[in-house]
Amino acid sequence: MSGNTSAPAAVVTGASRGIGAAIAEKLAGQGYDLVIVYRAGKDAAEAVKARCEEIRPGIRVVPVAADVSTEAGCQSIFDAAKENFGRVDVLVNNAGQTKDGLAMRMSLEQFSGVMDTNLTSAFLLSKLCLALMSRQRKGRIINMSSVAGIYGNAGQANYSASKAGLIGLTKSLAKEMGSRNITVNAVAPGFIDTDMTASLSDDLKKAAMGRIPLGRLGSPSDVASVVAFLASDDASYVTGQVIEVSGGLVL
């Protein structure tokens, strides 16, 4: 199936679980058709598709299995969006991974693997989508950074560098693309209740709570609501910004 669709279209990477799944479901409720990208876990992606279809009957959801760290993977994602919807109105670069360790013991593979998945993928997909958005004279790119990219985090030199790089990419693209009516923003979550934080020890969770004025972990829906705002016309004059969703976390 190809050609333009009457609904706007969004691409969400890392959409099979956690924050990405919540973003996909939120955008489904906001009227977007979707490309939901996952690397593994087809069943989880199909479950997200089913939930989106419950939220908005008649929605078109296209799951795509791809390695976002490669040019070929990103091209396959873009091709799926163009073939099925003929347009990309919103790109959410949410795919990410961690390979933690002290910098003095971190291998190049640990460093470059995280950089390619978290940062290079956002560059590659943005580059593809910006050409299409430029012709549309409208678009939204939302990059999922992290408080670690603002403040740093011991044991996460690779992750923090990738998330800081996303902030630089966001600001540069915002300056380049503003004249085409394309906004580019970043969201920086703090401690969010996902599979990633579920692996933390009780002591670490307790320590984190002590640094969060709101006194709780965030939920994926807390992040998704901010993404939905940045994707909407209500945020048409917001670009180049980094919005923390951290409960006031003090690092």
Side-chain angles (χ1 to χ4, degrees):
M1 189 179 297
S2 61
N4 287 296
T5 176
S6 57
V11 175
V12 183
T13 65
S16 64
R17 59 193 176 94
I19 291 172
I23 290 169
E25 291 163 26
K26 188 74 173 181
L27 292 178
Q30 297 293 321
Y32 289 88
D33 287 338
L34 293 164
V35 172
I36 55 174
V37 183
Y38 65 99
R39 184 168 183 175
K42 181 179 179 181
D43 290 346
E46 290 292 339
V48 173
K49 176 183 178 181
R51 290 197 296 272
C52 289
E53 290 170 341
E54 288 178 8
I55 290 167
R56 197 179 100 240
I59 189 176
R60 297 170 65 193
V61 183
V62 180
V64 176
D67 180 355
V68 297
S69 69
T70 68
E71 284 190 273
C74 290
Q75 186 68 55
S76 71
I77 294 163
F78 177 74
D79 289 346
K82 194 171 181 182
E83 178 182 348
N84 284 276
F85 306 131
R87 60 188 300 116
V88 175
D89 298 279
V90 176
L91 167 63
V92 183
N93 287 308
N94 172 71
Q97 68 172 199
T98 57
K99 293 184 179 181
D100 295 350
L102 295 176
M104 64 185 294
R105 296 176 187 150
M106 186 176 290
S107 68
L108 179 59
E109 188 280 329
Q110 281 177 287
F111 188 85
S112 61
V114 169
M115 293 294 287
D116 287 347
T117 297
N118 298 7
L119 178 58
T120 305
S121 66
F123 163 72
L124 292 171
L125 265 177
S126 295
K127 181 180 178 181
L128 289 166
C129 291
L130 283 170
L132 186 56
M133 289 177 176
S134 292
R135 291 196 292 274
Q136 296 169 183
R137 304 297 293 184
K138 184 178 182 182
R140 302 276 190 269
I141 294 179
I142 300 151
N143 294 319
M144 199 58 55
S145 182
S146 167
V147 292
I150 300 172
Y151 305 109
N153 205 20
Q156 289 191 316
N158 48 4
Y159 183 79
S160 297
S162 70
K163 296 300 187 176
L166 279 172
I167 291 172
L169 178 66
T170 295
K171 292 179 179 292
S172 293
L173 293 183
K175 289 184 175 182
E176 289 182 14
M177 305 310 299
S179 64
R180 314 288 179 75
N181 195 31
I182 298 169
T183 67
V184 189
N185 292 286
V187 176
F191 285 97
I192 307 299
D193 191 9
T194 64
D195 292 346
M196 194 177 293
T197 55
S199 64
L200 297 176
S201 68
D202 289 340
D203 287 344
L204 283 174
K205 287 182 182 179
K206 185 177 180 180
M209 294 291 192
R211 304 201 304 272
I212 301 172
L214 290 184
R216 66 172 177 88
L217 296 182
S219 70
S221 64
D222 289 325
V223 181
S225 293
V226 174
V227 172
F229 165 69
L230 291 172
S232 74
D233 289 340
D234 289 338
S236 62
Y237 202 57
V238 179
T239 195
Q241 302 306 301
V242 183
I243 301 178
E244 284 191 41
V245 185
S246 68
L249 177 69
V250 179
L251 291 177

